[in-house]
């Protein structure tokens, strides 16, 4: 019986082949990072290569910034590349072939304040305002899948909101995990600013 090759096995086989290949072959097969996303609010779709040949692609980043804009105000900002890499890696590690269904990317302070006033699930100091967070889902039959992957990667905050329309929050702030009605640590933004200041001084 022929064995089916899963997405994860295919990635592992590809990685093995690259390691075993001569240097000249590796040079001709540059690694690329892609994002396949669809906004559940605007309906917009995006399939884009944003990193190739060891560099981020400025034009692609600009398109992503607009895709992840605050839909309430139409305001875009520079999204953190660490968030894009986290989304890429999460997508690679999930078995779903669906796009990443995005709900909320960048938020202006006014939008975040409005949401926080109407919901106890919104952090007043949210990393959404820094272009460092995304609310999303992927497999509607297993809405917690992204949360489990993000929690295992431990590269920032990961929260699961199993409400009527379940979604997962991921960010590239200080590591933390929670499941609503629990919330993330309220001092994470301050912790991030302190660490950023220390790095600037060193």
């Amino acid at each position: 019986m022929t064995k089916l090759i899963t997405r994860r096995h295919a990635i592992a086989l590809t990685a093995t082949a690259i390691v075993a290949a001569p240097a000249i072959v590796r040079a001709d097969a540059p690694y690329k990072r892609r994002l396949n996303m669809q906004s559940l609010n605007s309906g917009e779709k995006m399939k884009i290569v944003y990193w190739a040949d060891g560099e981020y692609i400025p034009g692609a980043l600009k398109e992503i910034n607009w895709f992840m804009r605050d839909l309430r105000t139409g305001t875009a900002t520079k999204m953190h590349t660490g968030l894009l890499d986290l989304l890429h890696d999460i997508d690679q590690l999930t078995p779903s072939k669906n796009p990443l269904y995005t709900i909320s990317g960048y938020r202006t302070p006014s939008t975040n304040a409005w949401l926080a006033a109407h919901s106890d699930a919104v952090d007043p100091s949210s990393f959404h305002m820094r272009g460092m967070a995304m609310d999303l889902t992927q497999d509607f039959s297993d809405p917690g899948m992204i949360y489990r992957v993000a929690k295992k990667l431990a590269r920032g905050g990961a929260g699961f909101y199993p409400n009527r329309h379940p979604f997962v929050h991921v960010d590239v702030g200080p590591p933390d995990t929670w499941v609503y009605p629990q919330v993330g640590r309220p001092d994470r933004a301050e912790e991030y600013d302190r660490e950023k200041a220390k790095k600037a001084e060193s």
Side-chain angles (χ1 to χ4, degrees):
M1 181 182 291
T2 303
K3 286 188 176 180
L4 293 176
I5 298 177
T6 65
R7 188 178 185 185
R8 189 171 297 176
H9 290 159
I11 293 170
L13 289 172
T14 301
T16 303
I18 291 174
V19 170
I24 188 168
V25 174
R26 290 199 299 271
D28 292 335
Y31 177 58
K32 296 179 180 180
R33 297 177 194 164
R34 299 176 173 84
L35 286 174
N36 178 17
M37 302 179 290
Q38 180 175 338
S39 171
L40 289 180
N41 291 313
S42 71
E44 295 171 78
K45 299 178 181 180
M46 170 173 280
K47 289 184 180 181
I48 194 166
V49 174
Y50 70 92
W51 185 96
D53 297 326
E55 296 180 344
Y56 293 100
I57 303 171
L61 296 182
K62 188 175 181 180
E63 290 186 50
I64 292 171
N65 292 342
W66 178 249
F67 179 88
M68 295 185 175
R69 69 191 180 279
D70 182 329
L71 294 173
R72 188 167 176 266
T73 66
T75 307
T77 194
K78 184 178 180 181
M79 300 301 291
H80 198 292
T81 53
L83 174 65
L84 308 187
D85 291 338
L86 176 60
L87 294 176
H88 168 268
D89 292 348
I90 287 173
D91 189 33
Q92 292 298 305
L93 292 171
T94 62
S96 176
K97 293 183 180 179
N98 293 340
L100 297 173
Y101 293 111
T102 63
I103 300 167
S104 178
Y106 172 61
R107 292 180 195 159
T108 59
S110 61
T111 291
N112 198 77
W114 185 88
L115 291 171
H118 290 80
S119 173
D120 60 356
V122 177
D123 182 356
S125 58
S126 174
F127 283 97
H128 283 278
M129 295 185 290
R130 303 170 185 249
M132 296 172 60
M134 175 62 75
D135 293 343
L136 72 165
T137 189
Q138 187 175 42
D139 187 339
F140 296 111
S141 66
D142 185 6
M145 179 177 60
I146 288 178
Y147 171 72
R148 295 192 299 273
V149 173
K151 184 178 180 180
K152 187 172 183 179
L153 288 173
R155 297 211 320 245
F160 180 39
Y161 295 78
N163 50 29
R164 197 170 84 175
H165 301 289
F167 69 91
V168 175
H169 166 98
V170 297
D171 66 57
V172 285
D176 192 18
T177 60
W178 63 93
V179 176
Y180 183 77
Q182 294 179 332
V183 295
R185 288 187 289 105
D187 62 343
R188 292 177 65 231
E190 294 178 2
E191 179 184 340
Y192 176 80
D193 287 336
R194 287 196 300 271
E195 291 301 317
K196 188 176 180 181
K198 286 180 182 179
K199 290 179 181 179
E201 292 173 359
S202 60

